[in-house]
Amino acid sequence: MVNYMNFFNLSDEIRFIKEEKNGDLVASKRFDYGVGRAYGIIDPVLIEDVDVNCCATFFDKYGEVLAKVNFKNKLPWDGEMYDMASRVMYTVKEGKRNGAYKKFNYNHEIVLEEGHYVNDKKEGTFNLYNQSGLLQFTSTYKNDILEGKSINYNEDGKEVSSIIYKDGKPFEGTKVLPVGYNSKSTQEIYKNGLITKRISHDLHGKNVSTYKNGEVTETIAYHIDSNHKRLQYSLNENYIDGEVIRYDKNGKEQHRGVVKNYKLESGVIYLSAHSLYDNRVAYIILKRKEDIVQLTLVGEKEETLFYAEEKVEEGYGMKYIDKLNIYIDYLHPESLY
């Protein structure tokens, strides 16, 4: 038998202790700061008491019982199980999740998620709430697979969009994708099981992509906090293919280029300089008129840092510019500036 323990910071009060045999847990006790905690005082309170040969009991910081579960073959078998790390509580029957499931906030005062399990699989309605306890998202499961209607709500708890799933896949409606804190959400619109439009946001502003047969065909990017276009381009299998139009902040066309067979055929396009790993370069201007290709690297102060011009010979392509390690063929949307 091996015992392990750790202590509260700068204290000789035990925070966690466990017994193991041959690497397997036998028993453990976990403590947390009590409600009577003051400066220099820990006032530990028992929050978890586990004995795999018997049972486990879980408590809140006031000493009230949150959940109790019985063990069989050293595994949770019957009762209510509570995971202190994830703050998740669920009902266990015959060793499987069967019944109610809840996830709580840090203080165990607000339910953040709730649903129901049948034989370890999600079944029925699952609800997600914000830190104020207002409903944010509702989804429906059948045998652990999304099936039926899912609904998104705003911060005030009002419905803003919904989508129907079939066999775990979006079928009809608007799907809202999770995003980082303080970021605008991404929306995908589906019809008959295929995505038809995607609305996303980046540092430059809003991007609206149109799809056909599930493949993106065109994207219009807007200036930040504006309804004026910034870029408009066509795609084929996620490569730029067709017209690329660049607009100023007032939505007036500045430049137009035509990409054919994944190469610039005519006109002007602006490219990102990310692949150059050179902070001096802000962007790249690529021009083509008939058989002449011009390449310009532009600095942060709009100064020309480098310029190259090459005549394209039939069957040879750009023999010299290609050696600069600047990717100007088979362009992705991320290649555009």
Side-chain angles (χ1 to χ4, degrees):
M1 193 80 68
V2 180
N3 292 334
Y4 298 91
M5 66 178 67
N6 62 35
F7 302 85
F8 286 93
N9 190 35
L10 302 177
S11 169
D12 57 0
E13 295 280 6
I14 295 174
R15 187 164 194 170
F16 179 66
I17 183 170
K18 68 177 178 178
E19 298 178 14
E20 289 185 350
K21 185 175 182 180
N22 298 325
D24 295 325
L25 177 68
V26 175
S28 68
K29 288 188 178 182
R30 190 184 302 271
F31 300 84
D32 201 353
Y33 294 102
V35 293
R37 180 191 179 192
Y39 181 77
I41 300 174
I42 304 298
D43 188 28
V45 59
L46 181 65
I47 58 171
E48 180 181 283
D49 189 357
V50 178
D51 181 346
V52 299
N53 294 305
C54 168
C55 50
T57 306
F58 307 91
F59 308 86
D60 64 18
K61 61 183 178 181
Y62 300 100
E64 298 292 329
V65 175
L66 291 174
K68 296 180 73 172
V69 65
N70 296 314
F71 280 70
K72 183 178 179 180
N73 298 325
K74 299 183 178 180
L75 295 173
W77 186 256
D78 183 70
E80 296 287 327
M81 184 70 186
Y82 184 66
D83 186 325
M84 288 290 178
S86 61
R87 302 184 300 279
V88 164
M89 183 186 298
Y90 53 89
T91 303
V92 180
K93 293 180 181 179
E94 296 184 345
K96 295 182 178 180
R97 286 173 294 181
N98 274 288
Y101 156 89
K102 291 183 179 181
K103 180 180 176 69
F104 298 88
N105 70 339
Y106 182 77
N107 293 322
H108 207 272
E109 297 169 342
I110 296 175
V111 175
L112 298 179
E113 186 177 355
E114 64 180 347
H116 195 88
Y117 278 85
V118 175
N119 291 327
D120 261 346
K121 295 180 178 180
K122 292 180 178 181
E123 191 71 33
T125 301
F126 272 67
N127 295 329
L128 275 73
Y129 304 87
N130 62 17
Q131 292 291 337
S132 299
L134 291 174
L135 186 63
Q136 296 292 278
F137 185 71
T138 295
S139 53
T140 307
Y141 288 85
K142 185 176 181 180
N143 199 28
D144 215 37
I145 296 174
L146 283 167
E147 185 74 25
K149 195 173 187 179
S150 291
I151 304 172
N152 281 277
Y153 302 84
N154 64 16
E155 287 299 318
D156 297 322
K158 295 181 180 179
E159 181 178 335
V160 291
S161 65
S162 65
I163 185 167
I164 295 173
Y165 282 85
K166 286 190 177 182
D167 198 25
K169 298 177 181 179
F171 185 77
E172 195 88 22
T174 301
K175 178 182 178 181
V176 179
L177 279 64
V179 294
Y181 176 74
N182 232 5
S183 299
K184 293 184 179 180
S185 61
T186 295
Q187 296 182 341
E188 292 181 345
I189 300 171
Y190 288 81
K191 189 172 184 179
N192 294 324
L194 292 174
I195 183 172
T196 60
K197 183 177 291 187
R198 189 175 196 268
I199 303 170
S200 62
H201 299 82
D202 58 26
L203 294 175
H204 301 290
K206 180 174 68 173
N207 303 293
V208 180
S209 297
T210 303
Y211 290 72
K212 185 176 181 180
N213 297 324
E215 294 286 339
V216 60
T217 57
E218 182 186 66
T219 293
I220 299 176
Y222 295 84
H223 288 284
I224 192 165
D225 298 327
S226 170
N227 288 322
H228 293 309
K229 294 179 182 179
R230 184 177 65 87
L231 275 174
Q232 183 172 347
Y233 50 88
S234 301
L235 296 113
N236 184 10
E237 296 181 348
N238 206 36
Y239 288 107
I240 305 297
D241 190 43
E243 287 192 330
V244 179
I245 309 171
R246 181 179 176 82
Y247 302 85
D248 65 16
K249 290 185 178 180
N250 296 315
K252 183 179 179 181
E253 182 178 327
Q254 283 184 311
H255 308 289
R256 183 185 295 251
V258 177
V259 177
K260 189 174 181 180
N261 297 324
Y262 310 110
K263 299 176 184 290
L264 180 63
E265 183 182 64
S266 63
V268 181
I269 58 175
Y270 279 43
L271 303 178
S272 166
H274 295 317
S275 61
L276 295 180
Y277 300 102
D278 187 341
N279 293 331
R280 298 173 302 168
V281 183
Y283 57 92
I284 302 167
I285 302 175
L286 186 65
K287 298 181 180 180
R288 180 166 182 175
K289 186 176 181 180
E290 297 177 350
D291 59 351
I292 299 296
V293 172
Q294 298 171 334
L295 179 82
T296 307
L297 306 188
V298 182
E300 293 290 344
K301 297 180 180 180
E302 301 296 323
E303 74 276 24
T304 298
L305 300 175
F306 177 82
Y307 174 82
E309 181 177 304
E310 181 176 353
K311 182 176 181 179
V312 181
E313 296 185 26
E314 189 73 29
Y316 290 94
M318 283 172 283
K319 194 161 57 173
Y320 301 106
I321 289 180
D322 282 349
K323 293 180 180 179
L324 298 174
N325 272 340
I326 299 173
Y327 303 104
I328 57 177
D329 298 333
Y330 290 91
L331 302 172
H332 291 282
E334 298 78 15
S335 305
L336 298 177
Y337 175 77

